[in-house]
Every structure is written in C-alpha cells, then in structure tokens.
Amino acid sequence: MNDFLAARSQMALSLGFHIVFSCIGMVMPFFMAVAHYYYLKTGKDVYKNVTKAWSKGVAIFFATGAVSGTVLSFELGLLWPTFMKHAGPIFGMPFSLEGTAFFIEAIALGFFLYGWNRFNRWFHWFTGVVVGVSGLVSGILVVAANAWMNSPAGFDYLNGEYLNIDPIKAMFNDAWFSQALHMCIAAFAATGFAVAGVHALMIVRGSHVAFHTKAFRIAAVFAAAAAILQPLSGDLSAKDVAHRQPAKLAAMEAHFHTEKGAPLIIGGIPDEKNKKVDYAVKIPGLLSFMVAEDFNAEVKGLDAIPEENHPPVAVTHYAFQVMVGLGMIMLLISVLYFIGLWKKKQWLESKWLLKLFVIATPLGFIAVEAGWTVTEVGRQPWIINGIMRTADAVTPMPGINYSFYLFSAVYISLAVIVTFMLYRQIKMVGKLYDTPSSTFLINH
C-alpha cells in the first residue's frame, strides 16, 4: 500500500468510525429529552428509567465520539498539510464554532447526568435539550465545512493563490444547506432505527416488555418520520450535486454518455472500460426528470468530463445504490408503522412489525456510511472541488501505511469495547425497571 492510498484509507476509516458516534450524539439526547418530558408530565417511573438508561448510552457515545473526533482533527493537519495550509484560513470558522458547540454540549451533559434531584426539574430537563441542540449544531457546522470542499466559496483563486477570503461566505456556501439537511435527517433515521430495533428485540424476547415498549415507541416515531422525510431531502441534495458536481452525479448513476431523456439506472455492474452498465434496470427519462423536472432534459455524462477528472465509478455507483435501496426499505417500514399508529392499532403489538424493526437495526448506519462514501469518493480526484487535487494535498512524510495499520487496530479495539459496554448496559436495564413480562400482552 503506497502512502497516498494509506492516507486516504486512514481518513476514511476514521471518518467512518466517527460518523456513527456523531449521529448518535446528535440524536439520542432528543430521545432522552422526550422520555424525560413524559416523566415530568405523567410522573410514571418507567419514563424516568428510560431517560436514565438512555443518558448512560449518550455518555458512552459522547466520550468515544470526542476521542474519535479529536483524532480526525489531528489527521487533517498531519495527513493533508497542503490542504490545511490553504484551506484552514478559509473554512476554519465552522470548525472553531463547532468547538464552542462541543464545549456547551459537554457542560450541559454534565449538568444533566448529575442534576437529578439537585436542580429545578424543568431546568434539569432543559439541560438535556441543550445537549441535543448543541450536538445538532455541532454536526451541522462540520457538515458545512465538508460542503465547502464540494462547493468552494469565500475566496478568489488567482495564479495559485487564495485571495479575498470571506469565512462567512465560505461557511454558508451553496451546498451547506442541502447537505446539512440530508445528513441531519439521516442521523435521526439511522439512530432511530438502531435504538428502536434494540428495544424491539427485547420486546420479542419478552424481557421487561413495558420498559422496552415505551422506549421503542419514542425511537420508532423519530425513525419513521425521518425515513419518510429523507427522500425529499435526498432529491434536494441530488439536484444540487447535478448542478455543482456533474461528474459525481454521473458516477452515482453510472451515466457514461451525455443524452437527453436520460434513464434512471437501478442496480447494474458498471463497465468503465467499455463505458456501459450491465444487468441494470433502466427507467427511460426518469433521471432527466429528477434532475431538471423535464423528461427530455439533457444530463451530462462522464464523456463530457476529462477522463483524468473522473471519480471511481463503480465504488460511487454501488454506494449510492446501497444508500437508496436501504432508504427505501426503511421508508416502507415507516409507512407500515404510521398506518399502525393511525388505523391498525393491533399492528403496534404484533411480532411481525417488531421483527421488521429488529431486521432494520443496522440499515440506517449502513446507509449513512454508503452516503459518505458517495460524498467523498464521488468528489475525487479533488479534495477541494475543481481547485486542489487530493494527490497534491497529501503529506510527503513516508510510512503512512504503518500509521494506518496502527489506527485500524485502535479503532477495532474501541469498537469492541463500546459494543461490550452497550451490551452490558442493555442487560442492566432490568435492574432499573423490574416488571414481569406477563403484565404486557403481545399479540401473535
């Protein structure tokens, strides 16, 4: 493995690991706050116990996310010094503000964890809300920085120099809103399905059913609402990509040839050598309609872009198909769940619906990882779209492959430790709420 590939692989591993904790850190505090609100309004201890159980999970993920996020910050400077030399003064503002949001989140989390019976009960609840809001703001700011890499703004690039820098314009670049919206909704869907799936599994097993049912319903509503909204944000994001990064869109869709009435390609195996897609389902004109709301609109293909600027088509296409496919599965489950809430109340206690949520437990995070693969791989060969190539930004320091192996071992170890801690936390739930399963009926 050469140093360039090792640097990219290490960054991908670090981001792929951190994004899971970021999503949970952005979303779980809102679940916690809703359960806490129900406790304050109803006085039912089950909601208090759900809140406390979730708050311990939030603490675990916050600590791990802080560590992995710090590593990412150092890697930007160590692995990509040329990039940071030029880009740091331009898009550094969202990172500095993200540090402030993280600081507020840490203080609020401390208040919430240790504030039981010490603060006014509504102020205590408010500190939990602050944890969620600051975590969400933190995520949006980081995504804004990434959006700048896809849609650089806030400077003039003349003769290899970055002039007339405007950090505000850089932060609020043309891609930040669509990308941040898509990521936030994805975080709610992924975390919601993961949490709902774990509680659904415990209900199916008959373990402390009343406790897990309350927790499941809070998480499931968030998950289902986000999954239904996600295609709308995805459409907005895809239109932005079509306008600003036509090469990425062409790779996503394996669209090799510029044409009017471009078909939407579902599945298939891209053949980059012969510029075609084998074994795909093609829906005539649909890609043109999705991009320009016109079935006969022209969609730029990879043939209109210099070959040295082509992204890796196969990886980008497969990742995009995985993201969309899993999104459709979660959308279907969400529609079924809302039908249950609206008309078929008996569905909510049926094992078949619970098992669908169990199956869907990892799907949201797999979709998130696939989506980030599309975002990052689809931008290649650029680290700053159209301005700086990734190969020109990498550190000249040798031996990066050994660093990659070391970090891989560290992240695998962290994943095992976090999994063990969460498993132990779930097993300890019974000590918080020890109600016999027979008190709650599950219809077969």
Side-chain angles (χ1 to χ4, degrees):
M1 180 183 293
N2 62 46
D3 288 334
F4 177 54
L5 180 59
R8 288 186 62 191
S9 299
Q10 183 173 325
M11 201 72 194
L13 174 70
S14 301
L15 178 62
F17 188 86
H18 178 67
I19 195 65
V20 174
F21 301 112
S22 296
C23 288
I24 296 171
M26 289 164 62
V27 172
M28 274 295 291
F30 290 103
F31 296 180
M32 181 180 75
V34 170
H36 194 187
Y37 176 81
Y38 283 149
Y39 166 65
L40 295 177
K41 294 297 288 185
T42 67
K44 294 181 179 178
D45 284 341
V46 61
Y47 288 117
K48 179 180 180 180
N49 293 327
V50 169
T51 304
K52 286 191 171 183
W54 278 347
S55 68
K56 291 179 180 179
V58 168
I60 291 171
F61 283 110
F62 178 84
T64 314
V67 173
S68 60
T70 302
V71 169
L72 271 172
S73 299
F74 280 108
E75 284 179 344
L76 279 172
L78 294 174
L79 298 178
W80 313 102
T82 305
F83 167 70
M84 290 305 295
K85 175 185 176 181
H86 296 291
I90 304 172
F91 81 149
M93 179 174 286
F95 279 125
S96 62
L97 293 176
E98 189 272 339
T100 302
F102 177 81
F103 180 68
I104 294 171
E105 182 182 6
I107 294 173
L109 181 59
F111 280 175
F112 187 82
L113 292 175
Y114 298 102
W116 291 97
N117 302 320
R118 291 181 174 88
F119 296 138
N120 172 278
R121 61 181 194 149
W122 285 106
F123 175 78
H124 183 221
W125 171 80
F126 177 71
T127 62
V129 175
V130 171
V131 174
V133 171
S134 56
L136 192 63
V137 170
S138 179
I140 290 172
L141 289 167
V142 171
V143 172
N146 180 267
W148 177 85
M149 297 164 68
N150 293 317
S151 179
F155 66 98
D156 294 323
Y157 185 66
L158 299 171
N159 301 319
E161 295 186 15
Y162 298 77
L163 306 173
N164 303 321
I165 294 173
D166 183 347
I168 299 295
K169 188 175 180 180
M171 183 167 66
F172 295 107
N173 58 81
D174 292 333
W176 85 270
F177 177 76
S178 61
Q179 198 168 317
L181 178 65
H182 194 57
M183 183 63 228
C184 288
I185 296 176
F188 274 93
T191 306
F193 270 100
V195 174
V198 169
H199 290 292
L201 177 63
M202 303 307 287
I203 297 170
V204 170
R205 290 180 174 178
S207 175
H208 310 289
V209 176
F211 173 93
H212 288 292
T213 297
K214 299 296 186 185
F216 167 78
R217 289 185 176 176
I218 293 172
V221 169
F222 274 102
I228 289 173
L229 292 174
Q230 187 68 321
L232 301 177
S233 72
D235 179 67
L236 180 66
S237 185
K239 282 182 168 62
D240 181 77
V241 168
H243 176 63
R244 306 186 190 286
Q245 296 177 282
K248 179 185 285 188
L249 179 76
M252 288 161 54
E253 298 289 349
H255 184 57
F256 289 102
H257 304 288
T258 302
E259 60 182 312
K260 294 183 178 180
L264 179 69
I265 295 175
I266 301 175
I269 300 174
D271 181 349
E272 296 184 56
K273 181 179 179 180
N274 297 307
K275 312 298 182 188
K276 63 176 184 174
V277 184
D278 298 319
Y279 313 113
V281 176
K282 298 184 179 182
I283 305 176
L286 189 55
L287 180 59
S288 291
F289 179 79
M290 294 175 71
V291 168
E293 298 181 358
D294 180 356
F295 285 102
N296 294 314
E298 182 177 273
V299 178
K300 185 182 290 188
L302 288 166
D303 59 350
I305 298 160
E307 193 159 346
E308 64 270 19
N309 294 337
H310 287 190
V313 177
V315 173
T316 308
H317 177 69
Y318 293 144
F320 181 67
Q321 296 292 308
V322 168
M323 179 185 69
V324 174
L326 295 182
M328 291 299 101
I329 293 173
M330 291 186 287
L331 174 63
L332 176 61
I333 295 173
S334 300
V335 170
L336 292 174
Y337 184 72
F338 276 126
I339 291 174
L341 285 176
W342 182 35
K343 282 192 172 182
K344 303 286 186 179
K345 299 293 185 182
Q346 67 274 19
W347 287 8
L348 301 179
E349 298 170 8
S350 59
K351 281 193 172 182
W352 66 267
L353 183 60
L354 292 170
K355 287 180 178 178
L356 285 178
F357 274 92
V358 173
I359 294 169
T361 300
L363 299 189
F365 284 115
I366 296 173
V368 166
E369 298 286 4
W372 274 100
T373 300
V374 172
T375 298
E376 297 302 298
V377 176
R379 191 181 59 246
Q380 301 306 313
W382 307 101
I383 192 168
I384 305 175
N385 188 45
I387 303 291
M388 181 187 293
R389 290 181 176 271
T390 309
D392 296 332
V394 72
T395 178
M397 184 179 69
I400 300 300
N401 55 327
Y402 298 110
S403 173
F404 169 63
Y405 300 143
L406 175 62
F407 273 83
S408 297
V410 170
Y411 280 130
I412 291 171
S413 300
L414 277 174
V416 171
I417 292 169
V418 170
T419 301
F420 169 75
M421 293 176 68
L422 290 175
Y423 175 77
R424 188 178 68 172
Q425 179 62 28
I426 293 170
K427 294 291 286 185
M428 290 175 63
V429 160
K431 296 180 180 180
L432 292 173
Y433 189 69
D434 195 16
T435 298
S437 302
S438 59
T439 61
F440 195 88
L441 177 64
I442 296 182
N443 296 327
H444 294 273

